[in-house]
């Protein structure tokens, strides 16, 4: 049976060759639904298929998204697939960070290791592939930065025209540079992300442009593979917790759907709990969680973690569903906690951008409040690469970030061009070998 689009609220269905983002009847969000029944009681076979493809040199199975094609887009013609390839990111076992956070076992899945430096590539391969299926020649998004970088790269790779709208401030330098360099049409607008997303949807309808924000359900199918790949890396042993930052809530939604589907098929026999971590200054999901998920109240977003500076997350209903499916929780952390956690992750030699710091800061906070138990196994997702936002990193170490007086600062020393001057500095830093 072919995959279909289905409204998450009223259940109305649409064929996958329809250009549509919300239900025509009730404007609910759409899911891509696959024929999972086909795999029920055949979980062993599915796991074996995925395992056999590890290390594959050939497209599309050399991709950490399309390795799981059966759960991403089973009936798509492989010749349509637009892949760099992406995924196959490392899962780091990090005992020192684990002990800082207060758990025995912590793994960090580094999505900053994707081709353009963020998990957005996993969604974009799904989105651009669908653009090709639909025969669309233009794709567009509004972005806090990484979606633009990813769309620009994947559109260029596919030979399709890419258009990105972003706010006139707060787009991190690395991301802006990528969008420009990859050749997208870049439009800077004096408005926040939420307004830019509205604009993108308005122009797209009239200009025949395919929208690739995370309201696009094909992007979420690609992002599901962060979960599938992490589970495979754990030899299909289920951890107790999955922890990720929450901005527009595409990832949380995708993770919930992945875990729900894997459990239905029987690939995993229990569902890990999902913890979504928001920045205090951009916390509409957290606030709603505190009120028992009564409704989404948009906020004016302000945070050092610009990737999650979003006041009105479009995937809110799917994220709520994901948290209910996984018996999940929502936590918030301050900009100080975010930058401290980032500094520690950086100092392990791993590195990440500020939004990813939420993950670690959130784990620590949830352990302190007793929600995550010290003996539980945690998989945290690092969403973006350290080079994305050099200003935030340097600002932290120079003590130039407003209101953030970091405790892990690494100062740059200035020396005279003499050996003496350098020795004077190193004298205080290193121990001389014993004679
Ligand atoms: C997009 C992004 C996020 C937010 O993810 P959502 O799926 O929108 O919640 C977090 N971190 C980074 C680095 C991102 O690029
Ligand atoms: Zn509907």
């Amino acid at each position: 049976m072919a995959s279909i689009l289905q409204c998450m609220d009223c259940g109305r269905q649409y064929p996958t060759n329809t250009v549509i983002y919300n239900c025509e009847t009730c404007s609910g969000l759409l899911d891509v639904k696959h024929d999972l029944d086909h795999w029920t009681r055949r979980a062993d076979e599915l796991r074996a298929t995925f395992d056999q493809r590890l290390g594959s040199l050939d497209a599309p199975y050399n991709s950490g998204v399309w390795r799981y094609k059966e759960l991403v887009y089973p009936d798509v013609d492989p010749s349509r697939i637009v892949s760099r390839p992406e995924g196959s990111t490392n899962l780091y076992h990090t005992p020192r960070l684990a002990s800082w956070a207060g758990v025995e076992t912590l793994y960090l899945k580094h999505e900053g290791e994707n081709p353009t430096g963020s998990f957005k590539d996993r969604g974009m391969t799904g989105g651009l592939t669908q653009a090709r299926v639909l025969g669309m020649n233009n794709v567009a998004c509004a972005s806090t930065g990484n979606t633009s970088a990813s769309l620009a790269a994947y559109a260029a790779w596919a030979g399709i025209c890419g258009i990105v709208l972003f706010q006139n401030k707060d787009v991190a330098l690395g991301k802006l540079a990528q969008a420009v360099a990859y050749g997208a049409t870049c439009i800077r607008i004096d408005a926040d992300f939420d307004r830019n997303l509205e604009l993108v949807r308005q122009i797209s309808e009239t200009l025949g442009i395919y929208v690739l924000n995370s309201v696009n359900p094909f992007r979420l199918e690609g992002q599901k593979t962060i979960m599938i790949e992490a589970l495979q890396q754990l030899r299909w042993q289920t951890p107790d917790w999955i922890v990720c930052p929450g901005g527009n809530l595409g990832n949380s939604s995708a993770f919930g759907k992945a875990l729900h589907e894997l459990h239905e098929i029987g690939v995993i026999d229990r569902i890990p709990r999902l913890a979504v971590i928001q920045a205090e200054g951009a916390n509409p999901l957290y606030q709603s969680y505190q009120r028992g998920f009564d409704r989404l109240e948009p906020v004016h977003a302000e945070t050092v973690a610009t990737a999650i500076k979003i006041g009105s997350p479009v995937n809110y209903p799917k994220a709520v569903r994901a948290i209910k499916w996984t018996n999940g929780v929502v936590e918030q952390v301050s900009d100080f906690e975010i930058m401290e956690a980032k500094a520690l992750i950086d100092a392990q030699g791993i590195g990440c951008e500020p939004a990813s710091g939420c993950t670690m800061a959130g784990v620590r906070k949830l352990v302190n409040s007793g929600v995550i138990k010290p003996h539980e196994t945690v998989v945290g997702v690092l969403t973006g690469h350290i080079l994305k936002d050099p200003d935030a990193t340097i600002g932290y170490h120079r003590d130039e970030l407003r209101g953030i007086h970091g405790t892990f600062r690494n100062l740059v020393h200035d020396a005279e061009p003499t050996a003496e001057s350098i020795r004077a500095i190193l004298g205080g830093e290193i121990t001389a070998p014993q004679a």
Side-chain angles (χ1 to χ4, degrees):
M1 199 181 79
S3 304
I4 45 151
L5 288 166
Q6 181 172 308
C7 172
M8 71 175 284
D9 293 331
C10 77
R12 183 170 166 190
Q13 298 187 339
Y14 307 82
T16 49
N17 61 3
T18 326
V19 181
I20 187 170
Y21 314 101
N22 288 91
C23 177
E24 283 169 3
T25 307
C26 75
S27 73
L29 296 170
L30 303 175
D31 285 311
V32 186
K33 282 205 79 146
H34 309 299
D35 182 11
L36 296 182
D37 291 347
H38 179 79
W39 293 108
T40 338
R41 285 182 299 280
R42 290 168 66 194
D44 287 341
E45 190 188 326
L46 194 57
R47 273 190 300 252
T49 303
F50 295 160
D51 287 346
Q52 265 160 24
R53 291 178 187 156
L54 285 172
S56 169
L57 296 174
D58 300 310
Y61 301 128
N62 59 352
S63 156
V65 170
W66 299 102
R67 183 184 304 135
Y68 315 103
K69 185 171 181 285
E70 286 74 6
L71 300 181
V72 173
Y73 203 166
D75 40 331
V76 76
D77 173 355
S79 72
R80 305 263 167 173
I81 291 177
V82 182
S83 172
R84 279 289 300 277
E86 46 294 308
S88 303
T89 58
N90 284 303
L91 183 70
Y92 294 99
H93 183 222
T94 56
R96 277 175 293 183
L97 292 176
S99 91
W100 180 77
V103 287
E104 275 160 37
T105 315
L106 174 70
Y107 294 94
L108 292 177
K109 179 116 181 97
H110 206 329
E111 289 300 302
E113 295 172 353
N114 273 292
T116 77
S118 83
F119 73 82
K120 300 300 197 299
D121 294 343
R122 292 202 192 238
M124 227 28 99
T125 184
L128 259 299
T129 297
Q130 179 61 8
R132 272 205 179 150
V133 168
L134 296 170
M136 305 291 279
N137 294 316
N138 305 285
V139 293
C141 70
S143 174
T144 60
N146 279 331
T147 305
S148 297
S150 185
L151 179 143
Y154 276 75
W157 190 236
I160 285 178
C161 172
I163 303 154
V164 301
L165 273 63
F166 43 79
Q167 53 216 115
N168 59 344
K169 46 175 183 150
D170 282 345
V171 172
L173 194 60
K175 308 175 187 182
L176 178 61
Q178 283 178 294
V180 171
Y182 293 135
T185 302
C186 300
I187 306 175
R188 195 156 46 188
I189 298 171
D190 186 10
D192 64 8
F193 169 83
D194 304 288
R195 175 66 185 142
N196 281 346
L197 182 54
E198 281 172 19
L199 288 169
V200 120
R201 298 191 62 171
Q202 283 171 21
I203 55 154
S204 295
E205 243 171 71
T206 48
L207 295 179
I209 300 168
Y210 191 49
V211 178
L212 283 180
N213 276 99
S214 60
V215 65
N216 186 308
F218 291 93
R219 270 191 51 197
L220 300 194
E221 290 308 291
Q223 288 171 215
K224 282 192 326 194
T225 62
I226 300 171
M227 281 304 97
I228 311 176
E229 191 173 88
L231 286 161
Q232 183 175 36
Q233 286 167 310
L234 293 171
R235 311 321 193 250
W236 306 108
Q237 301 298 303
T238 314
D240 298 298
W241 288 93
I242 304 291
V243 185
C244 71
N248 218 4
L249 306 177
N251 254 352
S252 347
S253 304
F255 294 178
K257 186 169 188 278
L259 296 169
H260 183 75
E261 290 174 352
L262 291 168
H263 187 251
E264 264 195 359
I265 298 169
V267 169
I268 52 176
D269 53 18
R270 75 192 164 89
I271 297 185
R273 298 180 70 184
L274 181 63
V276 182
I277 317 297
Q278 293 208 293
E280 273 176 13
N283 65 352
L285 181 71
Y286 176 77
Q287 290 192 23
S288 160
Y289 171 73
Q290 294 292 355
R291 297 187 309 258
F293 287 133
D294 56 348
R295 70 190 171 279
L296 177 72
E297 296 246 5
V299 304
H300 172 78
E302 209 50 72
T303 168
V304 68
T306 51
I308 50 172
K309 195 180 155 192
I310 291 171
S312 179
V314 66
N315 281 303
Y316 168 79
K318 285 186 179 176
V320 171
R321 181 179 68 176
I323 288 157
K324 289 181 176 163
W325 269 341
T326 61
N327 186 25
V329 300
V330 185
E331 185 54 275
Q332 63 173 0
V333 291
S334 68
D335 280 3
F336 174 75
E337 291 170 309
I338 288 172
M339 291 307 292
E340 290 278 280
K342 167 180 151 52
L344 274 176
I345 295 163
D346 295 350
Q348 305 304 304
I350 299 175
C352 64
E353 70 164 278
S356 312
C358 273
T359 293
M360 273 282 302
V363 174
R364 182 173 155 105
K365 196 159 175 184
L366 288 168
V367 172
N368 279 339
S369 63
V371 177
I372 296 181
K373 306 284 183 288
H375 67 272
E376 291 181 312
T377 300
V378 179
V379 172
V381 178
L382 301 180
T383 44
H385 196 279
I386 186 173
L387 292 176
K388 289 285 191 172
D389 192 349
D391 294 322
T393 304
I394 293 293
Y396 173 90
H397 290 286
R398 283 192 188 149
D399 207 12
E400 287 171 2
L401 292 185
R402 193 155 37 90
I404 298 173
H405 186 59
T407 58
F408 304 117
R409 279 176 291 144
N410 183 21
L411 299 173
V412 174
H413 303 276
D414 289 308
E416 298 301 318
T418 65
E420 221 166 61
S421 169
I422 298 170
R423 261 193 233 111
I425 291 165
L426 293 182
E429 294 269 328
I430 57 177
T431 0
Q434 301 298 309

